[in-house]
C-alpha cells in the first residue's frame, strides 16, 4: 500500500507548495458577490498589499485568474507590436518559455543563451546590446529566479544596461517574488509576472502582473491581439475598485490571507528567512558530498538543484523519498532531466521541514547505495539555523 497517495505528504518542490492551514481555511469560505462591497474591500487590500510587495508607488499590479504562464503571456501580448525585436536572456527552461511565447505572438526573437546553472552575466548582456543601435530591441525579457536551474539573476545590475538600450525591462518573477528582494520602481522594471502558488503559499490559479507607467503607455498603442489579459481593461476597471471579469474569489481569500501573513512576519524577515533556508539546504547538500547545480554567488533562495550521485538516477531518489517518507522533491527539466533533483524551500516553512527532508534523504541515499557520513547533512543544516536563531 502507498501510504502517501492521499494528502499525507510534504511538498518540497518549487511550487505548488504546502499551503498553511490559515490560508486553506479561508479558501473554503462561502462565495460572495464579486461586484459587492465585501469583495471590493478584499480586492483593494490585495492590490495595495501587492504594490507594497512589488515595491511600486508609480506602477500598477493586476490580478488574473490563471497560472503563471498566463502572466508571462500578458508580458508579451500587451506591450509589443508585431515584428518588434526582443531579446530573451535564457539560462533555463522558463527563459525558453519566454522565447516560445514571443515567437507565438510573431515577435522577432533573439535568445542570448547562458550556461545552465550560471546567471545571466550583465557584462555579456552589455556586450551583446552594444553591437546594436539603441532601441533595436523593444524589450529584454529575463527570469528573476530561474527555477529549472535554481539560480537568481541580478536584476539590479541588468537594469541600467537594459534601460540604457531603451528597451522595456520585462521580468518573470513567478518563483522569485516575495522570497527574493525585488524593487520594481528602483530597478525600473517595466513589467513583472508573479504567481500565487510560489512563495505566497496559495493554491495555483492567480497570476499577477506589475506594470510601469511607461509600459502602460506602450500597451495603449501596441497592436498585438489580446483580450482576457488586456491590461487596459484591468486598468479601467480597477479605477472602480473592481476586476473586469468574475474574479477567482476563493483564491482572492487565500491571497488576502497570505499578504496579511507576509506583513505580520515583515517582508524583510520573510526574505531573510529564505536566505537561511537556502544556506541550510546548500550546507546540508555539501555535507553529503553532492554537487550543487548553481554557484553560491547566484544561488536561488527558493530552490536548490543537486546533481544525482554517479550511478543513481534522480528519479529513484524522488520515488524513494515519496514512497518511504511522503516527501515530494522535483526532478530536472529539459537538459537537466535525468541528471538532477531539486529541493524547493519556499513559503511559510522553516527548520522542521529542512531537518525532515535531509533525515529522509540520508536514509534514501543509503538505501540506494551512496556512501557518505551519516548524520552530516542534518548537522550541517542545524548549524545554519543555530547561527541564525
Ligand atoms: C520561473 C518560472 N516561470 C514560469 C513558470 C510557469 O508558471 P505556471 O506553471 O504557474 O504556469 C514557473 C513555474 O514553475 C516558474 O518557476
Amino acid at each position: 500500500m502507498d501510504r502517501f497517495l492521499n494528502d499525507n505528504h510534504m511538498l518540497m518542490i518549487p511550487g505548488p507548495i504546502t499551503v498553511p492551514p490559515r490560508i486553506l481555511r479561508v479558501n473554503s469560505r462561502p462565495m460572495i458577490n464579486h461586484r459587492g462591497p465585501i469583495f471590493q474591500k478584499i480586492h483593494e487590500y490585495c492590490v495595495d498589499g501587492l504594490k507594497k510587495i512589488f515595491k511600486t508607488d508609480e506602477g500598477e499590479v493586476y490580478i488574473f485568474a490563471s497560472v503563471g504562464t498566463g502572466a508571462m503571456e500578458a508580458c508579451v501580448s500587451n506591450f509589443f507590436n508585431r515584428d518588434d525585436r526582443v531579446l530573451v536572456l535564457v539560462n533555463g527552461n522558463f527563459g525558453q518559455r519566454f522565447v516560445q511565447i514571443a515567437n507565438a505572438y510573431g515577435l522577432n526573437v533573439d535568445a542570448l543563451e547562458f550556461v545552465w546553472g550560471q546567471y545571466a552575466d550583465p557584462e555579456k548582456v552589455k556586450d551583446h546590446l552594444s553591437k546594436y543601435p539603441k532601441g533595436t530591441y523593444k524589450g529584454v525579457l529575463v527570469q528573476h529566479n530561474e527555477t529549472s536551474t535554481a539560480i537568481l539573476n541580478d536584476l539590479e545590475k541588468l537594469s541600467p544596461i537594459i534601460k540604457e538600450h531603451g528597451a522595456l525591462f520585462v521580468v518573470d518573477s513567478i518563483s522569485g517574488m516575495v522570497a527574493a528582494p525585488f524593487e520594481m520602481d528602483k530597478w525600473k522594471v517595466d513589467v513583472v509576472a508573479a504567481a500565487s502558488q510560489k512563495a505566497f503559499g496559495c493554491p495555483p490559479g492567480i497570476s499577477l502582473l506589475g506594470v510601469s507607467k511607461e509600459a502602460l503607455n506602450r500597451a495603449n498603442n501596441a497592436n498585438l491581439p489580446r483580450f482576457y489579459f488586456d491590461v487596459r481593461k484591468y486598468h479601467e476597471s480597477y479605477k472602480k475598485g473592481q476586476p473586469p471579469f468574475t474574479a477567482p474569489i476563493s483564491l482572492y481569500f487565500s491571497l488576502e490571507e497570505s499578504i496579511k501573513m507576509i506583513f505580520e512576519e515583515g517582508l524583510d524577515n520573510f526574505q531573510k528567512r529564505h536566505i537561511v533556508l537556502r544556506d541550510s539546504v546548500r550546507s546540508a547538500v555539501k555535507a553529503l558530498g553532492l554537487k550543487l547545480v548553481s554557484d553560491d554567488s547566484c544561488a536561488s533562495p527558493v530552490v536548490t538543484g543537486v546533481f544525482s550521485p554517479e550511478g543513481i538516477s534522480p528519479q529513484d531518489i524522488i520515488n524513494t523519498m515519496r514512497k518511504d517518507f511522503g516527501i515530494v522533491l522535483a526532478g530536472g527539466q529539459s537538459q537537466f532531466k535525468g541528471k538532477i533533483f531539486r529541493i524547493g524551500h519556499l513559503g511559510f516553512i522553516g527548520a522542521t521541514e529542512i531537518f525532515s527532508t535531509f533525515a529522509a534523504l540520508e536514509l534514501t541515499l543509503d538505501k540506494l547505495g551512496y556512501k557518505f557520513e551519516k548524520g552530516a547533512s542534518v548537522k550541517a543544516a542545524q548549524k545554519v539555523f543555530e547561527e541564525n536563531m
Side-chain angles (χ1 to χ4, degrees), residues 14-15 67-70 72 94 97 143 145-148 172-175 195 197-198:
V67 289
T69 305
M72 286 178 84
F94 294 105
R97 186 167 302 178
Q143 270 56 46
N145 184 82
E146 177 47 86
T147 324
S148 63
D172 161 3
S173 186
I174 286 171
S175 60
Q197 80 275 20
K198 304 291 184 183

Side-chain angles (χ1 to χ4, degrees), residues 29-265:
R29 273 167 54 186
M31 232 6 71
I32 55 173
N33 174 11
H34 66 294
R35 300 289 176 217
I38 303 173
F39 184 78
Q40 180 161 346
K41 249 181 101 184
I42 295 172
H43 172 75
E44 288 180 343
Y45 175 84
C46 288
V47 171
D48 188 53
L50 291 168
K51 283 190 184 178
K52 293 192 175 94
I53 290 170
F54 284 41
K55 300 266 178 74
T56 184
D57 291 324
E58 294 158 24
E60 305 292 341
V61 180
Y62 305 118
I63 303 172
F64 303 132
S66 85
V67 289
T69 305
M72 286 178 84
E73 181 157 343
C75 285
V76 172
S77 63
N78 279 288
F79 309 104
F80 300 104
N81 294 311
R82 196 173 292 284
D83 296 327
D84 269 358
R85 195 159 178 188
V86 294
L87 181 69
V88 183
L89 312 183
V90 178
N91 49 2
N93 190 47
F94 294 105
Q96 290 177 338
R97 186 167 302 178
F98 255 155
V99 171
Q100 289 170 337
I101 296 171
N103 275 325
Y105 275 89
L107 299 187
N108 200 338
V109 190
D110 289 346
L112 186 59
E113 305 265 354
F114 297 87
V115 175
W116 284 36
Q118 289 180 14
Y119 77 146
D121 184 349
E123 282 309 309
K124 289 193 180 143
V125 178
K126 195 172 176 180
D127 275 0
H128 181 88
L129 290 177
S130 70
K131 293 180 192 137
Y132 299 87
K134 273 187 193 172
T136 301
Y137 291 109
K138 302 296 179 222
V140 177
L141 289 70
V142 61
Q143 270 56 46
H144 182 198
N145 184 82
E146 177 47 86
T147 324
S148 63
T149 50
I151 62 110
L152 191 70
N153 282 316
D154 192 339
L155 299 181
E156 193 172 7
K157 288 222 175 89
L158 287 169
S159 170
I161 298 164
I162 292 166
K163 297 314 290 180
E164 168 67 19
H165 184 79
L168 277 192
F169 186 16
V170 181
V171 174
D172 161 3
S173 186
I174 286 171
S175 60
M177 190 57 79
V178 199
F182 182 83
E183 297 276 352
M184 183 164 161
D185 288 355
K186 219 197 262 173
W187 297 347
K188 298 188 166 40
V189 175
D190 289 297
V191 186
V192 57
S196 57
Q197 80 275 20
K198 304 291 184 183
F200 286 99
C202 297
I206 275 187
S207 72
L208 308 164
L209 196 74
V211 180
S212 73
K213 276 213 171 79
E214 186 188 339
L216 201 57
N217 282 338
R218 291 248 199 136
N220 285 329
N221 301 305
N223 69 9
L224 290 179
R226 60 211 127 126
F227 190 84
Y228 176 72
F229 291 112
D230 186 341
V231 292
R232 294 168 299 184
K233 290 186 171 58
Y234 290 77
H235 192 68
E236 284 313 307
S237 193
Y238 279 22
K239 288 180 189 160
K240 296 175 274 171
Q242 291 202 355
F245 309 108
T246 307
I249 294 169
S250 307
L251 291 170
Y252 258 83
F253 294 151
S254 303
L255 184 65
E256 181 193 28
E257 199 65 18
S258 162
I259 294 170
K260 282 183 187 163
M261 287 169 70
I262 292 163
F263 291 146
E264 281 168 23
E265 182 174 359

